[in-house]
Amino acid sequence: MRLILLGPPGAGKGTQAQRLVARHGIVQLSTGDMLRAAVAAGTPVGRQVKDIMDRGELCPDNIVVSIIADRIQQPDAKNGFVLDGFPRNVAQAEALERMLHEKGLDLDGVVELKVDEGQLVRRIESRIKETLARGEPLRKDDDPEVLKTRLDAYRRQTAPLIHHYREKNLIRAVDGMAPMDEVTAAINWIFAKPKPKKTSAKLANTQKTKQKSMKAAGGAKKSKQTARKAAKALRRPVKARGSKVAAAKRPAAKKAASKGAKKTAKRR
Ligand code: AMP
């Protein structure tokens, strides 16, 4: 599974990426983390990007693209990855597409975490307070002025990716201001694997089937709850080209909830 999390700084990409890692057994590739590690280690790349990062501007494309190109070749990325902080502009997205194409790979999807910028600034301010309270050092870019530059860079350079991936029918938007667990539920909903069909051998095993039905009945409530959580944070899905108008017109919340209900009904 190969995914991209898109959203401005502070939208919660890191947290959601870690949850996707735990759920799907993939790796998190955060260019921000890799660049910070290079700065801390004082590598030539680190020295080149340090001031740029401190100002909250974007680092040169060739640097981040080559970092990602190296990283996705590593054995641990074979099973898939979630990109957090990359691509940050259309040129990077195109470079990624070329890289994947050369390997015969595809992207499974892009999640846009939609956030309110005013609340975002307050979120970062409280993160600064919490970090200071723990006696930990602040990130240089955890500064309201630098945050403004970073948000500006997002708006001007990264937000056009929404259109880019919409054209490819790959992007789904999630309400990033919803509680963390709701955001996770919505993302999980988007990438839920279809259940494998029952084989005749399984069906023949009536005893096991019975036990499973009993468990499913107990789990039905849970499934409804998950659907409700997902529906809250799952924004209107991007209309697929050529998709049925009726389906596209239906609000996401209703759609997700009805999917949940169908799922529950199937289990019964
Ligand atoms: P992040 O932790 O993803 O917010 O990234 C922190 C900083 O690293 C950004 O403000 C940029 O200076 C730099 N950076 C991270 N990823 C990229 C990227 N894909 N392209 C350019 N600069 C990046």
Side-chain angles (χ1 to χ4, degrees):
M1 186 170 258
R2 286 167 293 275
L3 316 170
I4 294 176
L5 287 181
L6 206 60
K13 298 189 295 294
T15 306
Q16 296 304 329
Q18 282 165 15
R19 292 180 175 192
L20 283 162
V21 164
R23 187 176 174 90
H24 297 282
I26 54 180
V27 286
Q28 174 187 8
L29 304 184
S30 157
T31 38
D33 285 351
M34 293 183 236
L35 291 167
R36 275 185 289 278
V39 171
T43 65
V45 164
R47 288 199 295 275
Q48 209 181 324
V49 298
K50 186 183 178 304
D51 291 343
I52 303 174
M53 290 178 75
D54 287 351
R55 289 196 299 271
E57 294 165 11
L58 292 191
C59 302
D61 289 346
N62 61 331
I63 292 182
V64 283
V65 168
S66 85
I67 289 178
I68 288 295
D70 283 349
R71 195 59 191 81
I72 62 175
Q73 313 247 36
Q74 306 294 317
D76 65 345
K78 274 237 163 70
N79 203 25
F81 48 78
V82 48
L83 290 165
D84 150 18
F86 181 92
R88 284 285 233 272
N89 58 32
V90 174
Q92 292 180 14
E94 287 171 350
L96 174 68
E97 277 146 34
R98 281 193 296 274
M99 270 180 236
L100 294 177
H101 184 73
E102 276 166 23
K103 293 178 191 303
L105 301 173
D106 276 324
L107 272 179
D108 290 280
V110 180
V111 172
E112 179 204 355
L113 294 175
K114 280 191 167 290
V115 292
D116 174 272
E117 282 196 13
Q119 282 197 48
L120 207 58
V121 175
R122 287 192 285 281
R123 230 190 224 185
I124 302 253
E125 282 168 352
S126 71
R127 189 165 85 190
I128 293 173
K129 273 188 203 151
E130 284 163 21
T131 310
L132 289 174
R134 285 196 302 270
E136 290 169 12
L138 279 182
R139 265 169 58 166
K140 273 259 168 63
D141 54 7
D142 261 348
D143 168 294
E145 273 312 303
V146 177
L147 177 65
K148 274 187 202 144
T149 310
R150 298 173 76 208
L151 285 173
D152 195 47
Y154 180 80
R155 246 180 271 121
R156 284 188 295 113
Q157 293 167 269
T158 311
L161 286 177
I162 297 166
H163 175 73
H164 179 84
Y165 288 120
R166 199 175 279 163
E167 287 282 293
K168 294 177 185 295
N169 197 23
L170 274 175
I171 197 164
R172 297 290 298 268
V174 166
D175 178 8
M177 302 315 293
M180 243 185 258
D181 288 347
E182 279 177 22
V183 177
T184 307
I187 296 174
N188 290 343
W189 192 270
I190 294 171
F191 297 115
K193 279 190 198 147
K195 281 203 172 145
K197 282 184 183 145
K198 275 183 190 167
T199 61
S200 49
K202 268 186 195 162
L203 282 171
N205 194 340
T206 47
Q207 195 59 34
K208 272 191 184 168
T209 311
K210 251 188 195 173
Q211 282 170 0
K212 272 186 195 163
S213 319
M214 282 166 73
K215 265 194 188 168
K221 221 183 197 174
K222 228 180 191 179
S223 160
K224 266 189 190 166
Q225 283 166 357
T226 314
R228 239 174 267 135
K229 262 191 189 174
K232 272 191 199 164
L234 191 55
R235 290 269 178 104
R236 189 172 66 86
V238 176
K239 188 184 163 189
R241 267 181 296 180
S243 66
K244 280 179 201 156
V245 175
K249 270 186 180 167
R250 267 164 69 197
K254 266 193 190 167
K255 215 170 156 188
S258 80
K259 259 191 190 174
K262 269 185 203 161
K263 225 177 174 185
T264 311
K266 264 188 197 165
R267 283 193 188 156
R268 279 180 192 146

